[in-house]
């Protein structure tokens, strides 16, 4: 026998949970801090629940998955791309994505700029900076990013708006480590901002489910929260 009898009750419970968790998190986030609801690996129905509770910014990490959700969900959703970005996905993603969080090379910037020129748009991007101890994470190192923004090519990228930086702290319970990394990211953010190279440079994207409160204390104004809203992901 199938479990049709219990299924609707479970679904209802899950639905309420998403809206409830979302609203609770939002209530605890100061004004001026934007919430990106990270919906990767969760179905369109889950996103719709958060949408109906008022959420409009969603983060996805895979190009094809974002496209499928984009096609079935309301058009006033702002899609943020937070996963590792490959140059061959830029053309497909550009018309759908309002902010790219994970731009990690000059070459990728050039590709985005060229594609945005081609379709007559301006792409909003964050430069991903790697400060965590994990070696697998992508991004510019703190030295590389300062070097990169000083290169002459940057000035010719007229179809990119560099809006800020994105970073992740180490995946550890050791709070002083996480705090030091967030402080380092905040320092890099203010350093670049003070150089006045990018007119719209005002986003510091840092903080996930397990560390967003600390990130906000360290100056984050955009947090990316998945698990605490949608529950665990099944990969
Ligand atoms: C998956 C992901 C998140 C969300 O992580 P949670 O721990 O589920 O909140 C945030 N940022 C990036 C870059 C991610 O890949």
């Amino acid at each position: 026998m199938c479990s049709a009898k219990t299924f609707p009750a479970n679904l209802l419970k899950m639905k309420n949970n998403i809206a409830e968790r979302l609203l609770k998190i939002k209530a605890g986030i100061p004004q001026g801090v934007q919430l990106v609801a990270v919906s990767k690996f969760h179905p369109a129905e889950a996103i719709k629940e958060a949408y109906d509770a008022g959420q409009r910014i969603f983060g996805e990490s895979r190009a094809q998955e974002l496209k499928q959700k984009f096609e079935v969900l309301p058009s006033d959703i702002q899609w943020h791309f937070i996963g590792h970005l490959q140059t061959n996905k830029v053309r497909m993603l550009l018309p759908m994505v309002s902010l790219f969080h994970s731009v990690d090379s000059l070459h990728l910037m050039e590709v985005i700029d060229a594609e945005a020129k081609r379709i007559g748009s301006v792409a909003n991007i964050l430069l991903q900076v790697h400060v965590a101890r994990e070696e697998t994470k992508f991004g510019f190192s703190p030295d590389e990013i300062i070097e990169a923004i000083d290169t002459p090519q940057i000035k010719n990228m007229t179809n990119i708006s560099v809006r800020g930086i994105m970073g992740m702290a180490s995946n550890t319970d050791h709070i002083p480590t996480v705090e030091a990394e967030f402080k380092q990211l905040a320092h890099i953010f203010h350093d670049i901002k003070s150089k006045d190279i990018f007119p719209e440079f005002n986003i510091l994207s840092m903080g996930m489910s397990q560390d967003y409160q600390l990130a906000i204390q360290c100056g984050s104004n955009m947090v990316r929260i998945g698990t605490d809203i949608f529950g665990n992901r099944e990969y």
Side-chain angles (χ1 to χ4, degrees):
M1 247 190 64
C2 77
S3 55
K5 214 167 55 182
T6 56
F7 180 66
N10 286 342
L11 192 69
L12 198 68
K13 189 156 160 270
M14 189 195 79
K15 280 180 172 186
N16 289 337
N17 277 349
I18 290 174
E20 248 169 57
R21 290 177 191 165
L22 174 81
L23 295 176
K24 204 168 150 197
I25 289 168
K26 270 174 103 167
I29 289 177
Q31 270 203 341
V33 177
Q34 286 198 293
L35 170 62
V36 180
V38 176
S39 47
K40 64 188 186 193
F41 294 91
H42 292 287
E45 295 75 43
I47 298 177
K48 189 64 171 39
E49 291 306 319
Y51 178 91
D52 289 341
Q55 181 65 21
R56 290 295 179 273
I57 305 176
F58 292 91
E60 288 287 334
S61 62
R62 297 185 302 181
Q64 200 58 42
E65 184 178 342
L66 189 150
K67 183 168 185 281
Q68 280 165 8
K69 291 172 176 175
F70 176 89
E71 282 166 359
V72 299
L73 285 160
S75 59
D76 63 340
I77 287 180
Q78 296 165 43
W79 295 99
H80 286 196
F81 193 80
I82 62 167
H84 179 58
L85 181 57
Q86 292 166 303
T87 51
N88 64 355
K89 296 285 161 46
V90 169
R91 179 170 294 190
M92 178 185 123
L93 285 171
L94 254 184
M96 301 183 281
V97 169
S98 67
L99 182 65
F100 291 93
H101 282 239
S102 42
V103 177
D104 61 359
S105 73
L106 274 175
H107 175 60
L108 183 56
M109 289 175 79
E110 282 168 342
V111 172
I112 297 171
D113 183 55
E115 284 296 335
K117 263 195 189 80
R118 200 180 60 86
I119 62 170
S121 72
V122 174
N124 289 303
I125 69 160
L126 304 180
L127 302 175
Q128 183 173 354
V129 185
H130 172 102
V131 294
R133 292 170 178 190
E134 284 93 353
E135 283 178 13
T136 54
K137 291 198 175 155
F138 297 100
F140 293 94
S141 75
D143 289 340
E144 281 166 357
I145 194 162
I146 299 303
E147 208 176 292
I149 59 168
D150 263 344
T151 56
Q153 297 110 287
I154 289 261
K155 310 230 159 39
N156 301 326
M157 296 183 191
T158 51
N159 291 66
I160 276 186
S161 178
V162 180
R163 301 294 314 276
I165 68 169
M166 184 274 265
M168 279 179 263
S170 295
N171 184 12
T172 171
D173 293 336
H174 190 247
I175 291 171
T177 297
V178 175
E179 186 176 1
E181 289 168 352
F182 283 149
K183 281 184 174 162
Q184 190 183 2
L185 288 167
H187 177 79
I188 293 167
F189 171 73
H190 289 294
D191 187 27
I192 297 175
K193 191 170 169 54
S194 72
K195 293 178 194 283
D196 272 333
I197 303 172
F198 310 115
E200 300 180 298
F201 193 89
N202 52 25
I203 299 173
L204 176 53
S205 168
M206 61 183 194
M208 318 183 4
S209 290
Q210 68 164 7
D211 56 20
Y212 72 91
Q213 277 139 334
L214 184 55
I216 291 169
Q217 285 167 27
C218 295
S220 169
N221 58 20
M222 184 174 279
V223 292
R224 310 176 308 269
I225 301 178
T227 309
D228 275 8
I229 297 170
F230 296 106
N232 290 324
R233 291 178 286 273
E234 283 174 32
Y235 294 102

